[in-house]
Amino acid sequence: MSATGWQTDRAKNPHPTSLPDQQLTAEQRATGPSSGLPAQPTTAALPRQRTSEPASVSAPVTPAPFTLLVIGEDPASAFAVPDLLDATGNRARIRHARNLTEARRLLTDDVSCILLDLELGARQAKGLDVLREVLRMAPTTAVLTLASGQTDAELAAEAVRVGAQDYLFRNEIEASLLNRAMRYAVERKRADLAQLQLTETRLRAEENARLERGLLPTPLLDGAEKLRFAARYQPGRSRALLGGDFYDVIRTPNGTVHAMIGDVCGHGPDEAALGVELRIAWRAQILAGLCGESILQTLQQVLEYERPDDEIFATLCTVDIAPDGRRASVSLAGHPSPLLARRGCPAELLPYEHGGPALGLLPQVEWERVDVELGDAWSLMLYTDGLIEGRVGMGTARLGQEGMIGLIDRGLREGLSGEELLDAAVTEAMALNGGELTDDVAVVLLDHG
Amino acid sequence: MDLSLSTRTVGDRTVVEVGGEIDVYTAPKLREQLVELVNDGSYHLVVDMEGVDFLDSTGLGVLVGGLKRVRAHEGSLRLVCNQERILKIFRITGLTKVFPIHTSVDEAVAATD
């Protein structure tokens, strides 16, 4: 039965009577709490185990009755599990499974700890295979193993190495020891899971940071005296899913400044990594002294070879600014057109009618380059669509390019420039959206004169 | 806002009516629908985008993926769209050269290459 099935069952009846809870002997029942130890004061409450995701280990812990699942062949006499008390002084519930099939059936969300008799493993499978199976079946539950004379101490120690929290010897079993071992095991498992979760979070953050560095480099602008560079990157709402926005700016020895911005469709590490590859491929070609349309052809080839899935495409905008800063040639591959604000004039979009398809959509495409007069003093803004896709108000309206032009014009009228202008624009787009934007946003601003 | 999907058969074409917003969160649902149709042997699809309020690049990717899937079976994927803001996205990304875009479902269903 699937885990979902169990959850459904549990939702209907959290303590199904069909489960052999409390398969205790009459003697054990009769003994009552006196034979058990008082609850461990350090264990204020026991965590809900049997969750599908370790993420929930950090959730507030709710007191739950302690349930022990014993997996061993002989339900009655293999060993007697003594009476146990949980943190609130209630008797712990004990379920007994004679094999893994039964164990699977009895392993519900409320099982706090598993006690596995290694004898079961010895007879039914090789070595610690049964333990491995139990750990797979219950990745978030503390597992104790029970060893006896037939299973030596070495095997018991090996069990801990494989993933059991601890081992107990059959002849040593008594209430206080088992009680303590179980509670320590549960706490240790909880700590292990929390540690694992932390490590995963840290690794993901590091991975994202590494990709972000690869997507958003330091521009190479030495010698470009009249040109100022500013950039802003704003991760989207789901930070775990880094987008594939990327940009780069390089001044080559002849004084031409090459700027580029792009966006790999979709979100996730594959898309982000592809963005890094495309940026590096572009940078390598520019540093190698190439220019013109062949660069886009090569980038399309790189994309086709490297993409993990052939529904992935990338949009790109490249701008080559002449050494005197007065002219530029622009290529668009499925990318929204840059915004140009000449000093004293309202901002406008550069021509986009000549734009070609995004990279990776069509074979044998030719991308046009269009020459643009920039003038003496200007600001040129390259951006990804995350900026224009934000909502405006509660309806279905979006900011769009027109809305973006309005934001930039207002900023310019207020005398903003560089980072300040970009910060103001992105902040306002977010405010209009009513919170963080869904998609990542990358914006590059080049000011001249 | 969510995405709504409904399908119906018209002759040898399967019309997928899409409503709402196709973005990074809802695009997987559309992908599943297209993959399922192709797996079930529907290779001539008409995606009716008239009820779509928003489409981002992830959604475009899903449509491109759908087109590649039906083409692998010598099928077709036609779009129905009259909304300027959606058409603009297709124009900017160059997808107007990739997808046949029609003004009505009837026209798309009747169309042959």
Side-chain angles (χ1 to χ4, degrees), chain A residues 237-238 265-267 307 310-311 313 334-336 355 357-358 360-362 385 389 391 396 398 401-402 438, chain B residues 1 21 23-25 31 53-58 60-62 64-65 68-69 85 88 92-95 97-98:
Chain A
R237 181 145 49 100
S238 56
C265 73
H267 291 73
R307 63 183 163 190
D310 67 4
E311 79 178 39
F313 62 88
H335 200 90
L361 286 182
L362 295 173
D385 55 9
E389 285 178 348
R391 289 172 195 280
T396 58
R398 303 280 173 158
Q401 285 171 305
E402 300 74 19
T438 305
Chain B
M1 198 180 285
E21 305 189 342
D23 62 15
V24 61
Y25 299 105
R31 182 188 291 115
D53 299 313
F54 176 72
L55 176 67
D56 78 355
S57 66
T58 310
L60 291 174
V62 168
V64 171
K68 291 188 174 170
R69 281 190 187 91
R85 61 178 171 178
K88 187 174 172 186
I92 288 177
T93 49
L95 284 163
K97 297 176 184 116
V98 178

Side-chain angles (χ1 to χ4, degrees), chain A residues 436-447:
Chain A
E436 291 191 73
L437 298 164
T438 305
D439 204 356
D440 295 23
V441 176
V443 201
V444 170
L445 186 70
L446 295 167
D447 288 309

Side-chain angles (χ1 to χ4, degrees), chain A residues 3-26:
Chain A
T4 323
W6 277 117
Q7 279 163 358
T8 315
D9 291 344
R10 287 191 58 238
K12 286 187 208 132
N13 180 3
H15 307 298
T17 47
S18 62
L19 296 178
D21 278 343
Q22 285 289 36
Q23 277 210 354
L24 299 173
T25 60

Side-chain angles (χ1 to χ4, degrees), chain A residues 214 246 248 260 275-285 299:
Chain A
F246 55 97
D248 206 350
M260 171 272 275
V276 177
E277 290 179 39
L278 291 174
R279 185 187 69 76
I280 297 295
W282 180 85
R283 183 172 260 209
Q285 293 185 80
L299 289 177

Side-chain angles (χ1 to χ4, degrees), chain A residues 204-347:
Chain A
R204 197 164 54 228
E206 283 176 1
E207 181 67 11
N208 279 357
R210 202 161 31 243
L211 284 166
E212 247 178 68
R213 276 198 302 278
L215 292 162
L216 319 168
T218 308
L220 305 178
L221 275 172
D222 284 355
E225 283 155 15
K226 292 173 85 178
L227 199 67
R228 288 173 305 284
F229 166 90
R232 170 79 197 250
Y233 175 74
Q234 177 70 38
R237 181 145 49 100
S238 56
R239 283 157 198 277
L241 287 176
L242 190 64
D245 296 13
F246 55 97
Y247 63 70
D248 206 350
V249 181
I250 298 176
R251 180 178 184 270
T252 43
N254 70 359
T256 305
V257 171
H258 306 264
M260 171 272 275
I261 194 160
D263 187 358
V264 177
C265 73
H267 291 73
D270 285 344
E271 288 78 2
L274 197 53
V276 177
E277 290 179 39
L278 291 174
R279 185 187 69 76
I280 297 295
W282 180 85
R283 183 172 260 209
Q285 293 185 80
I286 297 295
L287 291 176
L290 301 173
C291 62
E293 204 227 347
S294 70
I295 289 181
L296 292 178
Q297 304 284 0
T298 308
L299 289 177
Q300 165 144 302
Q301 279 182 299
V302 170
L303 174 72
E304 285 168 354
Y305 292 138
E306 301 292 332
R307 63 183 163 190
D309 179 330
D310 67 4
E311 79 178 39
I312 293 181
F313 62 88
T315 66
L316 195 76
C317 164
T318 68
V319 181
D320 300 327
I321 301 163
D324 64 4
R326 301 182 64 90
R327 284 167 297 112
S329 65
V330 181
S331 292
L332 293 173
H335 200 90
S337 184
L339 190 69
L340 176 69
R342 297 185 180 90
R343 185 175 293 166
C345 300

